């Protein structure tokens, strides 16, 4: 049978004791298992969708996106510093997707793809200045059409109503503090938890977007990182990084992160970044305490990651398409119905999240006569976590000459077209010089840091991935943009 009683080939390394919320789910286990048997049958191959609550209803869906959250800085993904006890507990109660790839290393295009299941050539949101068009269908719209009550609590103004991200929400509010440097995730969680407690009807869909891990890393008090220790060699020489004259550039601390005084070392920034994660994580305890786990599927992810020291890019995102800024955490938890304490090794794209939610709750992936989605549901793979790593994910850089990336299996190809550089070097202005076309091939398993370009050594692999990337670029060009 499927559900919590399923055996799982690989256990989550960050297993923790079940908390109050999940303990209550365990007490409900016999009832939940009966429901799972009724809906799913007793054979792994016979799991039937949609999945239903013990009362046979569609589940509530709580989508949590956390801005600028690197998966490898969470205990659930193997991080040694205790940044995320609440997220780790959520992971232990559900399925952790090992590799989820954002469509862009920047907020608006990445969230547009996640909320629609579409890449940029359909959403038309290519950079933060973009607006989500009315003709695309979002998770909120599709679930609302299916009878869901919907509410959004958004901590980033780039995802506001004026940018079209309120589509499908009956209740939608931004909770950014008037002072953008002050913490706001506590306020957002308070609003969302209060709405859930008094939800006008069920099932409901709630999207909450937390912001505090985004730089500058001063939302949380330094005390949130008290007691954090790091291996002696975690930061190499830990040489102080010089300040830059603007917000962008390689080898420098961008202006908006210059809050520590100078000189500041990478370890100083990473400790503060980890404290921001711990603060956001702590807020989630109240949010998860407000839901009924038997009736609610929780999906936790991020818009993009953050480059902390890698590739000479310090405490920024939005430039390169390396995994530091492109991979995001992805957890799905519904105790008693979805498998628990399980790792799905398969690679997915953020565009696959919406179709997966649709299949689980029983909503058609697209409205009639609507723009089709790019993503594919991986709902069935949740019950087969030993599914071989597969799937192809694409990404587009939001800056100037738009670098492209394709990640297929263990291989990743990044294509930086000739022209203006994707990133200004040191303090040189962006428009000062051109760079030649460049291809980078990485083996993401043998070289997760993407430090050794294998393009010359594997021309056949480059050719294969170039073909895939070429098809993707053709679609982008057909969308009318000058790519
Ligand atoms: Zn963001």
């Amino acid at each position: 049978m499927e559900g919590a009683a399923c055996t799982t080939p690989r256990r989550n390394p960050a297993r923790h004791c079940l908390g109050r919320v999940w303990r209550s789910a365990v007490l409900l286990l016999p009832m939940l298992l009966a429901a799972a048997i009724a809906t799913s049958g007793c054979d792994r191959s016979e799991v039937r969708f949609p999945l239903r609550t013990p009362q046979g209803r569609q589940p509530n869906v709580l989508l949590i996106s956390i801005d600028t959250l690197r998966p490898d800085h969470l205990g659930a993904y193997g991080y040694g510093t205790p940044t995320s006890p609440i997220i780790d507990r959520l992971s232990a109660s559900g399925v952790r997707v090992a590799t989820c790839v954002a469509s862009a290393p920047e907020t608006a295009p990445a969230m547009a793809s996640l909320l629609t299941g579409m890449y940029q050539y359909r959403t038309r949101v290519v950079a933060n200045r973009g607006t989500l068009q009315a003709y695309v269908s979002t998770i909120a719209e599709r679930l609302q059409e299916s009878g869901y009550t919907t509410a959004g609590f958004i901590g980033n103004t780039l995802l506001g109503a004026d940018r079209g991200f309120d589509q499908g929400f009956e209740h939608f509010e931004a909770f950014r503090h008037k002072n953008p440097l002050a913490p706001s995730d506590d306020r957002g969680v308070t609003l969302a938890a209060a709405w859930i407690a008094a939800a006008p009807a069920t099932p409901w869909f709630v999207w909450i977007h937390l912001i505090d891990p985004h730089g500058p890393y001063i939302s949380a008090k330094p005390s949130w990182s008290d007691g954090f220790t790091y291996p002696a060699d975690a930061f190499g020489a830990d040489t102080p990084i010089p300040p830059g004259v603007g917000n962008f550039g390689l080898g420098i601390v961008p202006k908006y992160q210059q809050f520590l005084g100078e000189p500041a070392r990478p370890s100083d920034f990473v400790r503060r970044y980890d404290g921001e994660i711990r603060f956001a994580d702590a807020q989630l305890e109240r949010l998860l305490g407000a839901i009924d786990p038997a009736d609610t599927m929780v999906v936790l992810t991020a818009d993009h990651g953050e480059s902390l020291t890698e590739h000479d890019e310090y405490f920024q995102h939005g430039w390169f398409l390396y995994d530091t800024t492109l991979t995001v955490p992805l957890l799905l938890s519904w105790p008693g119905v979805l498998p628990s304490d399980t790792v799905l090794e398969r690679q997915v794209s953020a565009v696959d999240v919406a179709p997966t939610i649709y299949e689980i709750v029983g909503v058609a992936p697209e409205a009639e006569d609507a723009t089709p989605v790019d993503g594919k549901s991986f709902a069935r793979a949740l019950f087969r976590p030993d599914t071989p790593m597969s799937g192809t994910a694409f990404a587009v850089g939001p800056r100037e000459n738009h670098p492209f990336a394709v990640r297929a299996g263990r291989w990743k190809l990044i294509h930086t077209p000739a022209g203006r550089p994707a990133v200004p070097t040191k303090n040189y202005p962006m428009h000062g010089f051109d760079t030649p076309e460049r291809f980078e091939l990485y083996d993401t398993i043998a070289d997760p840091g993407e430090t050794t370009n294998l393009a010359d050594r594997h021309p056949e692999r480059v050719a294969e991935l170039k073909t895939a990337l070429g098809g993707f670029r053709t679609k982008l060009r057909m969308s009318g943009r000058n790519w």
Side-chain angles (χ1 to χ4, degrees):
M1 61 156 290
E2 301 296 344
C6 294
T7 57
T8 51
R10 182 177 160 191
R11 291 292 174 180
N12 195 322
R15 182 167 196 174
H16 293 256
C17 295
L18 294 173
R20 180 177 60 82
V21 169
W22 290 277
R23 267 200 301 274
S24 66
V26 170
L27 294 174
L28 286 169
L29 203 55
M31 185 168 66
L32 295 170
L33 293 182
I37 291 168
T39 56
S40 305
C42 288
D43 188 291
R44 262 177 195 285
S45 63
E46 290 180 5
V47 62
R48 287 199 300 271
F49 291 88
L51 304 177
R52 291 291 179 251
T53 68
Q55 290 76 34
R57 295 196 291 261
Q58 287 177 302
N60 304 316
V61 178
L62 173 60
L63 173 62
I64 304 166
S65 51
I66 303 178
D67 216 294
T68 319
L69 180 59
R70 275 174 68 140
D72 62 352
H73 278 242
L74 300 174
Y77 283 81
Y79 198 42
T81 303
T83 55
S84 55
I86 307 304
I87 292 174
D88 299 347
R89 195 190 300 164
L90 182 72
S91 177
S93 73
V95 181
R96 172 172 73 84
V97 178
T99 307
C100 181
V101 185
S103 73
E106 191 166 82
T107 304
M111 287 308 301
S113 290
L114 189 132
L115 294 171
T116 62
M118 301 174 189
Y119 283 116
Q120 288 89 327
Y121 63 92
R122 295 193 202 276
T123 65
R124 305 292 181 100
V125 182
V126 179
N128 272 343
R129 61 184 175 277
T131 297
L132 194 60
Q133 301 300 306
Y135 64 82
V136 297
S137 286
T138 64
I139 297 172
E141 288 176 294
R142 302 297 298 122
L143 267 55
Q144 189 183 44
E145 290 162 12
S146 177
Y148 276 71
T149 303
T150 55
F153 303 90
I154 310 305
N156 189 325
T157 52
L158 296 167
L159 306 174
D162 59 332
R163 301 297 184 93
F165 283 87
D166 63 333
Q167 294 179 41
F169 287 104
E170 292 151 42
H171 181 93
F172 190 88
E173 60 183 303
F175 53 80
R176 194 86 194 253
H177 196 280
K178 273 184 270 185
N179 174 2
L181 304 183
S184 59
D185 291 347
D186 47 351
R187 170 78 176 139
V189 163
T190 298
L191 290 170
W195 187 93
I196 288 169
T202 56
W204 48 253
F205 168 64
V206 167
W207 169 35
I208 182 168
H209 186 87
L210 303 184
I211 185 68
D212 287 337
H214 192 292
Y217 310 144
I218 54 174
S219 301
K221 292 177 181 168
S223 58
W224 283 94
S225 58
D226 278 355
F228 285 4
T229 57
Y230 299 88
D233 59 349
F235 305 101
D238 205 20
T239 308
I241 311 301
V245 296
N247 275 334
F248 307 111
L250 295 183
I252 53 94
V253 177
K255 207 165 182 57
Y256 76 106
Q257 292 276 32
Q258 293 168 19
F259 54 86
L260 285 170
E262 303 305 332
R265 301 168 301 167
S267 58
D268 298 322
F269 286 97
V270 172
R271 175 183 293 278
R272 292 295 295 260
Y273 173 69
D274 285 347
E276 305 273 295
I277 295 174
R278 180 67 192 92
F279 176 75
D281 179 87
Q283 309 313 311
L284 292 179
E285 185 162 34
R286 287 184 293 125
L287 183 64
L288 296 173
I291 66 171
D292 180 346
D295 290 347
T296 307
M297 177 170 69
V298 179
V299 180
L300 183 143
T301 187
D303 52 354
H304 52 75
E306 180 85 320
S307 190
L308 294 171
T309 55
E310 301 85 355
H311 307 285
D312 218 19
E313 184 186 22
Y314 291 88
F315 326 121
Q316 307 170 53
H317 54 267
W319 299 99
F320 293 130
L321 296 182
Y322 299 115
D323 280 1
T324 48
T325 58
L326 213 52
T327 56
V328 292
L330 179 58
L331 311 173
L332 295 94
S333 170
W334 184 3
V337 178
L338 296 180
S340 64
D341 199 19
T342 299
V343 180
L344 174 60
E345 293 292 352
R346 178 189 174 117
Q347 171 186 288
V348 307
S349 163
V351 300
D352 300 327
V353 171
T356 300
I357 292 174
Y358 298 153
E359 183 165 22
I360 289 173
V361 306
V363 172
E366 52 215 40
E368 282 183 34
D369 303 324
T371 306
V373 299
D374 293 300
K376 299 275 185 290
S377 170
F378 57 87
R380 287 161 203 276
L382 296 174
F383 294 92
R384 294 175 173 276
D386 50 347
T387 304
M389 184 173 173
S390 61
T392 300
F394 295 98
V396 185
R399 303 274 185 265
E400 291 289 328
N401 62 338
H402 297 299
F404 298 87
V406 56
R407 212 177 183 285
R410 67 190 296 163
W411 296 99
K412 178 176 174 184
L413 183 73
I414 303 173
H415 176 201
T416 304
R420 291 166 182 170
V423 185
T425 303
K426 301 290 181 189
N427 289 321
Y428 285 96
M430 184 167 226
H431 304 285
F433 54 94
D434 286 349
T435 54
E437 183 177 51
R438 187 170 79 245
F439 289 93
E440 297 163 77
L441 178 73
Y442 297 106
D443 179 339
T444 62
I445 292 178
D447 178 25
E450 299 166 282
T451 58
T452 305
N453 181 1
L454 300 174
D456 290 340
R457 251 183 271 175
H458 297 286
E460 75 299 334
R461 189 73 65 187
V462 171
E464 181 186 311
L465 293 174
K466 266 186 183 176
T467 301
L469 209 48
F472 184 68
R473 282 191 76 187
T474 299
K475 291 177 183 172
L476 291 163
R477 288 197 180 108
M478 288 172 67
S479 72
R481 287 186 60 92
N482 181 28
W483 297 93

